[in-house]
Amino acid sequence: MATSPDSLQSRDAAEELRRCADSIDAQERGAEMHGLVRELYPICRSITGDGLRQSLRILQRIAPLQLREVPSGTQVFDWVVPREWNVRSARLLGPDGEVIADAGRLNLHLLNYSAPFRGKVQLEELQRHLHSLPDQPALVPYRTSYYKEDWGFCLTHELRNRLQPGEYEVQMDTSLAQGSLTYGELLVPGAQADEVLLSAHCCHPSLANDNLSGMVLCATLARLLAGTSPRYSYRFLFVPGTIGSIAWLALNEEKASRVAHGLVAACVGDSGMLTYKRSRRGDAEIDRAAVHVLAQSGQEYRVRDFTPYGYDERQYCSPGFNLPVGSLTRTPHGEYPEYHTSADDPALVKPEMLVDSLRRYLEIFEVLEGNRTYVNLSPKCEPQLGKRGLYGSVGGQSHAVASQMAMLWVLNLCDGTRTLLDVAERSRLRFSELRRAAEALRRAGLLAEERGRKQ
Amino acid sequence: MATSPDSLQSRDAAEELRRCADSIDAQERGAEMHGLVRELYPICRSITGDGLRQSLRILQRIAPLQLREVPSGTQVFDWVVPREWNVRSARLLGPDGEVIADAGRLNLHLLNYSAPFRGKVQLEELQRHLHSLPDQPALVPYRTSYYKEDWGFCLTHELRNRLQPGEYEVQMDTSLAQGSLTYGELLVPGAQADEVLLSAHCCHPSLANDNLSGMVLCATLARLLAGTSPRYSYRFLFVPGTIGSIAWLALNEEKASRVAHGLVAACVGDSGMLTYKRSRRGDAEIDRAAVHVLAQSGQEYRVRDFTPYGYDERQYCSPGFNLPVGSLTRTPHGEYPEYHTSADDPALVKPEMLVDSLRRYLEIFEVLEGNRTYVNLSPKCEPQLGKRGLYGSVGGQSHAVASQMAMLWVLNLCDGTRTLLDVAERSRLRFSELRRAAEALRRAGLLAEERGRKQ
Amino acid sequence: MATSPDSLQSRDAAEELRRCADSIDAQERGAEMHGLVRELYPICRSITGDGLRQSLRILQRIAPLQLREVPSGTQVFDWVVPREWNVRSARLLGPDGEVIADAGRLNLHLLNYSAPFRGKVQLEELQRHLHSLPDQPALVPYRTSYYKEDWGFCLTHELRNRLQPGEYEVQMDTSLAQGSLTYGELLVPGAQADEVLLSAHCCHPSLANDNLSGMVLCATLARLLAGTSPRYSYRFLFVPGTIGSIAWLALNEEKASRVAHGLVAACVGDSGMLTYKRSRRGDAEIDRAAVHVLAQSGQEYRVRDFTPYGYDERQYCSPGFNLPVGSLTRTPHGEYPEYHTSADDPALVKPEMLVDSLRRYLEIFEVLEGNRTYVNLSPKCEPQLGKRGLYGSVGGQSHAVASQMAMLWVLNLCDGTRTLLDVAERSRLRFSELRRAAEALRRAGLLAEERGRKQ
């Protein structure tokens, strides 16, 4: 049972990733990530347009992602890439000329994808173009109208209630024109062609947790991975939600078929507990790796079954693809009160939460990289670990220490039918402990990697 | 993927049944059903005889069931149809001539299937022929002696305790003679030969919940179904318990082989929560349909695994048949204090409970009728529902409404391997919501029924 | 379907074992077993040597086990049988000549397998050879050094803290020399070559629960089984822990392949609840039999999944063997405070607990012996039990009695695909009740044993 080069590499990569996760300087890394969130926050992004391009170019400072352009009108499965939308300014003035809403101050005030319009409307007609939150009257909502041509403004319900009858002036200086949809793509190549997909949506304007946190996390992951030699190739997609992932899937079906594992990253900066949403498959290796990492994190966490609502996992997990793609967030979409409102601002995102999320993503990669099938070469009774210096010499104590238990579990369960993740789930020991035990046993000649088995 | 006529029909039938369940006038229907219970109550039924015949003829006013006669002495598997039993009168007189028990006042006083006897017996000997309930001293028990020739009386324990020594006169004017066993049968034909079996036992004398409620429920179901065009054929059996279902199975093995789903109806009028007892198979479609309906009812309910004790499911689920037949009751046999006593009278049965049970049976039929396998014709990514008018145009809101979630679930899970009931179980949405979503998607050309798959 | 002789025998054996378990005189048997524990307690056992031999010879008074000798230096898989260890005396004297530790008073004082040594050492050096329990300062620990040549003493932490600087005299009069490892073996032959393995470790010196209780239990079981005619052959192993079971497996691979079920017996005398540790397979018949017996015991109990730590199940369940061997203990190793200390003395072991454990082992054997696959010969509907005297004649009562329920369950589930243990698990009735019901039905011609199916 010879060891193939990529096996050696992957063993090293898993250890590299472990050390990477362990050696993060939380303060420095957190400050850097949060700084990026603040820098990206004011830009008016949408599913197309210059705000999106500008945001992706800022991320290029962190990781060398490439910008791809898909022309308006391109058919992508059941959808058509819409006209490109850009905003010069958008203001709503009151009967006395006072500024009611100004996208220049907060781009959420603008109904995203509003068509250009200039004119005066009475309050009654204007109301049909206003969006506010009766239950959260002090917040401005985030609303869009991508596929029905419309214009509108979003404002606080408090302000809306104070609007007086009269004539309002709409200065909607936007454009909808032939152009393209932009997305960012980056491949960190590994020893294998099989890919790990990381996807973040980039279309939301001034919303910090949803999803500047995910964009910054993915860019940071890409930078850290570039310093390692992984077994898998890692593909990062920075896409406008829904239409962006659909466009990528439609134009890259062959690449999609190489996705062995995937995660959709979003809402990774708030103070809530980590939440893993399973892939449609439910028990894919990524599902098990993520749940193992969360279970061993020592923190509270949530695991949810797949539902066909949420982020771009909806597309990756559509039945025609059914990719093993889950989603790791902190508080899920729609479950925190600031969601899709002006309260999802950089203050909602905490540097230490960004770093904690980053660590868990790295730990999941460690599991994927190190998850191999081994076979005990001395399967009849336990081998004598003591004579190899792998076991304490004084007997009679009540419990074996963790590293010895890890060796005993690996020896007992590794019969060529189980991966290390299987052993981790069964033993409830940490994957890294088992991975290192396996490596010690392998070096002692007691264990070999099983060839020809998919991990 | 052409749509077969019976598919169209079943889609209509499911909707018809849904509307039927939704449009029941609870007050009117409850009064009618309870009136029938009261009318049937005084009749002295048994496993054979004129009381049984008379009861089935009353049900014919509701639904056109046919009376079948199986001659005494007919071998039915391991059993023999017994002699027919009839009662003219049955009285027990005390030493002073006072009436101790009189079947004319309450037919439970008579040990059911008592052989004829006239004579005087001392109290000591009489005691061996008396049945009472020490723990429920004010109630008269229901007791039978079908297969051991005997005579006896049932009375309250209070009265029994007051009996004085002396000579008692027994006037047991019954007959046991060559005749036949009677049962009622009705087939509501559907597009398919596959049958749904509904079975109610009819052999109990003056007991209202057990099982006049079940008899009246089945007759009412038969009448309502007659106004629809179902996919399945529905067979209703009104049989004396045990020997009746055994006789039907022995004489109709070919029909039994067509039973695709079945329910034994009993104790459906008391105020307890609904209780579903699974078939021996445990996960038959009928089991899953019934559990789904109860889980979505918004009421408390119970689900029990199969046990080989209870009603005629014992026979339908015997290993030589193993039919997918469960039982839907309210409080199960033996678990309410009035069970098999004089307290199981029409006052125990509530009109609104009869109607609630009726609705659940109809909802289960709706699931059976509408449970089809569909395939998403646009399986790569989500189709654009908005351009088809199936989705709201303003985006950004936290949650999709129920009908949109139903469409997303159907599109995501319907890959030709799952039925709508699978989707309902997985999504925890109501079956009717999913069924209507599937129908809307089918009309929009996004979904087709999968041919050649058993639902 | 003819009945083979060994089937008849096994049916008798199961009933014999039931009666044996039911007829144990708890007081007499408990006193006898506890007397043996007390007699064995003072002997200085180890994994080799005369203490071990002497202990096995005492057990020969109960059951005719044979002593086997494996010479020092024998290679047994990855291990080598060590030199034989014997002790003449072992004392530690203080600076003023006072006795600090004396194996003659309590053999735990001696680090088990200490090499011979005579000389004077300063306290500082002596400390490296002392073992005590800071958290349990009044107790002497049990410690060993089998595979690293060393000498040492175990003492209370209280005493250790009082030791004064100065010169200590070590009189370690032991020997490590070419000799052999001894184990005891006994086969109670049955109708089949398939074996039930019972294994107890015998290497611990003065520790009563761990494992004099297990040794005495196994010897008593062997004696009781010798009075029956079992279906299975029962092999009893009395082995030094780890090296003993490894030696037996290495030298008896063909016998090991005949092990159909097995239990490792240890810690069966303390007052804790019974604890079953599953075999590595997890759902072997022995696992299910043991769990059923505990679940029906009416006592609290624990069931644990297999872990590769504990007693000799570690070896029997190593992946190269993977034998269906579980372990039935009371409080598991390491989970009672007296474990591996001087407090694990005969007072910790209760006669009534020894007897309770003994009963459960016998009940597990009853299940193994009686677990057969039957087929209902009258599978269409229920057979009429009443006409065969197997069912009460007066109907209408709320619940069937237990023996009738047992018959109904057996008839309903025994279709040739299920064992009686399957029926017991499904019905939650006691195995013996079902076994007797099956026997009554078999005698009535309603049931036959299914040939050619592994039980």
Side-chain angles (χ1 to χ4, degrees), chain A residues 255-301:
Chain A
K255 284 181 192 165
S257 72
R258 294 205 294 265
V259 174
H261 319 284
L263 289 171
V264 169
C267 303
V268 290
D270 65 278
S271 299
M273 68 179 84
L274 282 161
T275 305
Y276 181 69
K277 175 182 170 180
R278 293 178 184 278
S279 75
R280 181 177 184 268
R281 298 185 187 187
D283 64 347
E285 190 175 344
I286 184 66
D287 298 320
R288 296 170 53 207
V291 172
H292 175 76
V293 163
L294 296 189
Q296 294 286 343
S297 69
Q299 302 171 1
E300 281 197 283
Y301 65 97

Side-chain angles (χ1 to χ4, degrees), chain A residues 77-79 143-144 147-148 246 249 253 280 305-309 314-315 317-321 334 339-340, chain B residues 376 379-384 387-388 391 393-400 405 408-409 411-412 415 418 426:
Chain A
F77 295 130
D78 194 51
W79 301 64
R143 291 288 178 270
T144 68
Y147 299 101
K148 183 180 170 228
I246 291 172
L249 285 163
E253 288 205 51
R280 181 177 184 268
D305 281 336
F306 179 78
T307 67
Y309 199 66
R314 293 162 66 164
Q315 312 309 328
C317 295
S318 58
F321 286 102
Y339 175 78
H340 278 196
Chain B
N376 177 347
K380 290 186 174 175
C381 298
E382 293 171 8
Q384 195 179 357
K387 71 184 184 191
R388 297 175 175 88
Y391 211 79
S393 60
V394 171
Q397 281 154 110
S398 296
H399 293 289
M405 281 308 296
L408 292 175
W409 275 109
L411 287 168
N412 189 271
D415 54 9
R418 291 181 184 83
R426 177 73 181 74

Side-chain angles (χ1 to χ4, degrees), chain B residues 166-240:
Chain B
E167 202 172 63
Y168 287 74
E169 185 176 346
V170 177
Q171 300 173 346
M172 186 66 78
D173 192 4
T174 61
S175 64
L176 275 168
Q178 184 64 25
S180 60
L181 172 153
T182 313
Y183 67 86
E185 186 168 17
L186 168 60
L187 185 76
V188 179
Q192 298 182 2
D194 289 350
E195 295 188 1
V196 179
L197 178 71
L198 276 293
S199 178
H201 66 276
C202 308
C203 50
H204 288 17
S206 290
L207 295 169
N209 194 40
D210 176 22
N211 189 31
L212 296 177
S213 69
M215 292 160 63
V216 168
L217 178 95
C218 283
T220 307
L221 282 172
R223 179 160 74 180
L224 294 174
L225 274 166
T228 69
S229 302
R231 168 159 68 128
Y232 290 110
S233 300
Y234 288 73
R235 184 175 301 277
F236 292 84
L237 293 180
F238 300 85
V239 289

Side-chain angles (χ1 to χ4, degrees), chain C residues 61-73:
Chain C
R61 296 206 311 261
I62 306 296
L65 54 96
Q66 291 193 290
L67 270 58
R68 316 277 193 204
E69 302 287 343
V70 184
S72 303

Side-chain angles (χ1 to χ4, degrees), chain C residues 67-86:
Chain C
L67 270 58
R68 316 277 193 204
E69 302 287 343
V70 184
S72 303
T74 306
Q75 181 82 31
V76 286
F77 295 130
D78 193 50
W79 302 64
V80 174
V81 173
R83 286 173 295 170
E84 181 173 329
W85 182 67
N86 281 292

Side-chain angles (χ1 to χ4, degrees), chain C residues 30-96:
Chain C
E32 181 193 74
M33 293 174 80
H34 199 267
L36 266 171
V37 167
R38 290 196 309 272
E39 182 178 352
L40 290 160
Y41 180 72
I43 300 169
C44 183
R45 280 164 297 273
S46 184
I47 55 173
T48 62
D50 286 330
L52 176 56
R53 281 187 197 94
Q54 183 187 349
S55 301
L56 296 175
R57 286 199 189 105
I58 288 172
L59 294 181
Q60 285 179 323
R61 296 206 311 261
I62 306 296
L65 54 96
Q66 291 193 290
L67 270 58
R68 316 277 193 204
E69 302 287 343
V70 184
S72 303
T74 306
Q75 181 82 31
V76 286
F77 295 130
D78 193 50
W79 302 64
V80 174
V81 173
R83 286 173 295 170
E84 181 173 329
W85 182 67
N86 281 292
V87 187
R88 267 175 301 273
S89 70
R91 296 209 310 171
L92 175 65
L93 304 180
D96 300 329

